[in-house]
C-alpha cells in the first residue's frame, strides 16, 4: 500500500562519473566538473587518483565495470592517464571513456611537429621546482601579512588587498598565493582610518599595489552576524557606514576596487590578476 | 660584429597559448597546463578571462590574430567558452582552436540522451551556493585552527594534521579547505610532547581524524634554515631528533602518516582525502 510520503515517480538510478588520474586527479576532477555541470542532473562522483601502475589500472578497470553492473548503466570515465600502457587498460572498461589529455595532445603533436613526452603526473608543478617553492613562499607571505598583522617586507608584496572586516580579503589573498604564487598581503580599513580620513600609514608607499574589496552592506551584515550575532559590528547601520566610508576613501585615494558581493574568490582573484598582470611564461 | 655573448643558434620564436574563458579561466588554464606540459618546449601564456559578450569575443579574436601575425606562427587557443554565439566567433581565429568543453559535451549528450544547458560560468560553484559557503567556512576554520591556535570546536574538524614545525601542515590544511571544503585543523608536535611521550592532550579524543606529516630531516633542516638561519631549531641534529621522535610517537599512537619530502601540497591533500573519503556527490 502506498503512503502519502511515497515518491510518485521512481527516480532513475544516478549516473556515476569516475575521475581517473596517474596523479592527484585534481585537474581531472575540476575540469570534469565544468563539463558535467552543463547537464541538469546529479552525478555520483568517484575519484581514482594515483593510478600509476598496471596493477592499479586493472583495479580501476574492475571498479568501473562493477559500478556499471550495479548501476545498470554506463559510468562516465574522465581520464588524465598519460602513459598509454595504463590508459589502454582503463579504456577497455564498459564506461564512456573520455581521454582529457590525448584528445588534445594529438592535434598539438601535428601542429607543433613534435612528439609529446607521455610523462606522468606533470599536471602539477613538482615539489622540488622553483615554481612550487615560490607558491609555498607566497602562501607563507600571505599568512604572515593577513589582516594587517605585519608591515615587514610589504614592499615584497605583489598586491595588497584592502577593505572593511569580512569583505573577503583573507580567502582571496590565500587563493592568489596558492593558485598563482602571488604574494598577497591584506590590510583592514577600520573606523579609526575613517575618522582620520586617511589610509593606514604603512600602506601609503604602496598605493600602486593596492586593490580594494567592497561588498553590499546587507550581505556584509549577514556575514558579520554569523560571526558576532546582534553586535554593533554586525548591525546594518554600522555596515552601511563602514562601506560608505571605505568606498569614499578608496575613491579619494585612487585605489581600484570591486564589489565582492556576488563574486567567488576565484572570480575576485582572476579580476585582480587581470589588473596586475595578464601574461605569464612557463617552460 | 658578433660578441662572445651572442647566442650561436637563434631560438625559434616562442609559441603563444591563449586560455579563453567566459569565467575566471582558472579551469581552462590549469587543464591546458597539463596538456602543454606534455611538450618539451616553453609557451608564452596569455589568459583571456571574462569573455562573456559578443564584443569581448571579437576583442579576443583580434588579439589572437594579432599575436599570430607578430609571432609568425599559429597560437594555440584553449577555450572553455560555453555559449556557441561566443565560441563561434573565437573559433574563426587563425589559431589552433581547442574546445575544452564542447569536445566532451557532445558525446555526453548522446550517452545521456539529453541536451546540455550551454550555460555560462558554471565551472566554479556560484558565490551564493551552499557549497561555496562551506568552502569559505572551511577556510576560516582552518585558519582559526592553524598551528594548534585553538582547541575550540576541534570536534567539527574533518581532519587534524599533526607533525613537527615546517613539515607542511599549514599549506596542506589551507589547500584542503580551499579546494575541497574540508575543515582541516593542524597541530604541531613539539619537543615538549616528545619529553612527555604523549600526544597533545586536546587531540586524544580525535585520534580517528588525525593524519601525520613527516619529512626527511635534511629537507626539514633546509626549510628551517631559510626561516631561522644557524639556529638550534634548524640544525640537522635537532631535525633528526624531532622527526625520529615524531615518527615513533605516531607509530605508537596508531596515527597514519606520510612523508611530505617530495610531495606537493596537492599530492599530500589528495592522499589524505583518499583516506578520509573517496566519494562525493554533486548536483
Amino acid at each position: 500500500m502506498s503512503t502519502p510520503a511515497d515518491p510518485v515517480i521512481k527516480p532513475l538510478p544516478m549516473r556515476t562519473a569516475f575521475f581517473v588520474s596517474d596523479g592527484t586527479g585534481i585537474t581531472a576532477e575540476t575540469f570534469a566538473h565544468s563539463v558535467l555541470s552543463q547537464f541538469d542532473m546529479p552525478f555520483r562522483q568517484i575519484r581514482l587518483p594515483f593510478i600509476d601502475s598496471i596493477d592499479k589500472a586493472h583495479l580501476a578497470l574492475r571498479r568501473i565495470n562493477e559500478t556499471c553492473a550495479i548501476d545498470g548503466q554506463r559510468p562516465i570515465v574522465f581520464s588524465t592517464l598519460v602513459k598509454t600502457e595504463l590508459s589502454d587498460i582503463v579504456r577497455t572498461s564498459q564506461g564512456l571513456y573520455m581521454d582529457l589529455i590525448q584528445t588534445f595532445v594529438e592535434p598539438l603533436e601535428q601542429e607543433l611537429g613534435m612528439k609529446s613526452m607521455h610523462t606522468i603526473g606533470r599536471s602539477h608543478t613538482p615539489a622540488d621546482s622553483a615554481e612550487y617553492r615560490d607558491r609555498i613562499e607566497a602562501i607563507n607571505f600571505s599568512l604572515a601579512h593577513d589582516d594587517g598583522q605585519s608591515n615587514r617586507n610589504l614592499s615584497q608584496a605583489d598586491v595588497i588587498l584592502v577593505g572593511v572586516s569580512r569583505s573577503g580579503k583573507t580567502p582571496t589573498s590565500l587563493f592568489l598565493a596558492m593558485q598563482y604564487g602571488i604574494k598577497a598581503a591584506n590590510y583592514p580599513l577600520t573606523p579609526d582610518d575613517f575618522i582620520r580620513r586617511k589610509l593606514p600609514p604603512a600602506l601609503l608607499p604602496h598605493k600602486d599595489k593596492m586593490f580594494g574589496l567592497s561588498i553590499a552592506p546587507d550581505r556584509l551584515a549577514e556575514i558579520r552576524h554569523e560571526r558576532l550575532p546582534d553586535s554593533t559590528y554586525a548591525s546594518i547601520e554600522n555596515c552601511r557606514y563602514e562601506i560608505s566610508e571605505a568606498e569614499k576613501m578608496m575613491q579619494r585615494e585612487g585605489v581600484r576596487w570591486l564589489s565582492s558581493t556576488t563574486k567567488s574568490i576565484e572570480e575576485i582573484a582572476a579580476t585582480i590578476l587581470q589588473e596586475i598582470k595578464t601574461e605569464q611564461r612557463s617552460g
Side-chain angles (χ1 to χ4, degrees), chain A residues 67-85:
Chain A
T67 302
C68 188
I70 292 165
D71 288 358
Q73 51 188 349
R74 298 173 81 193
I76 316 297
V77 181
F78 291 96
S79 161
T80 53
L81 295 176
V82 175
K83 291 203 167 168
T84 44
E85 63 262 40

Side-chain angles (χ1 to χ4, degrees), chain A residues 162 210-215 246-248 250-251 254-259:
Chain A
V162 295
M210 284 171 62
F211 204 99
L213 295 186
S214 196
I215 183 170
E247 291 187 355
K248 273 189 264 176
M250 293 191 284
Q251 198 139 28
V255 174
R256 298 159 290 181
W257 55 276
L258 60 76
S259 167

Side-chain angles (χ1 to χ4, degrees), chain A residues 41-80:
Chain A
M41 61 184 280
F43 293 88
R44 186 166 151 258
Q45 301 181 29
I46 300 180
R47 204 181 292 126
L48 300 178
F50 304 122
I51 305 298
D52 53 9
S53 70
I54 302 269
D55 283 355
K56 288 184 192 162
H58 279 292
L59 284 174
L61 171 66
R62 197 185 310 160
R63 176 112 190 246
I64 295 166
N65 286 343
E66 283 169 3
T67 302
C68 188
I70 292 165
D71 288 358
Q73 51 188 349
R74 298 173 81 193
I76 316 297
V77 181
F78 291 96
S79 161
T80 53

Side-chain angles (χ1 to χ4, degrees), chain A residues 77-203:
Chain A
V77 181
F78 291 96
S79 161
T80 53
L81 295 176
V82 175
K83 291 203 167 168
T84 44
E85 63 262 40
L86 302 180
S87 58
D88 282 352
I89 294 167
V90 179
R91 192 187 299 275
T92 64
S93 87
Q94 284 147 34
L96 175 66
Y97 190 80
M98 312 265 236
D99 194 323
L100 300 186
I101 300 293
Q102 203 52 29
T103 302
F104 301 108
V105 161
E106 274 168 17
L108 267 174
E109 285 184 334
Q110 283 232 323
E111 173 68 28
L112 301 172
M114 72 193 293
K115 278 287 182 194
S116 73
M117 298 188 296
H118 287 288
T119 51
I120 210 161
R122 287 283 307 249
S123 53
H124 290 280
T125 47
D128 56 358
S129 70
E131 193 186 330
Y132 181 74
R133 291 189 189 196
D134 285 351
R135 277 179 60 211
I136 297 294
E137 203 185 318
I139 295 171
N140 289 330
F141 183 94
S142 295
L143 274 175
H145 294 81
D146 182 37
D147 204 32
Q149 271 179 64
S150 166
N151 296 331
R152 272 190 61 204
N153 307 328
L154 266 188
S155 57
Q156 287 177 22
D158 296 308
V159 62
I160 302 172
L161 300 184
V162 295
V164 302
S165 164
R166 297 281 124 171
S167 54
K169 302 182 300 298
T170 295
T172 304
S173 302
L174 290 173
F175 186 79
L176 281 165
M178 201 162 270
Q179 180 80 21
Y180 298 110
I182 300 272
K183 288 182 179 163
N186 76 76
Y187 227 93
L189 296 179
T190 68
D192 278 359
D193 302 314
F194 304 143
I195 291 164
R196 287 191 306 107
R197 293 176 56 82
K198 288 219 168 71
L199 286 172
L203 300 184

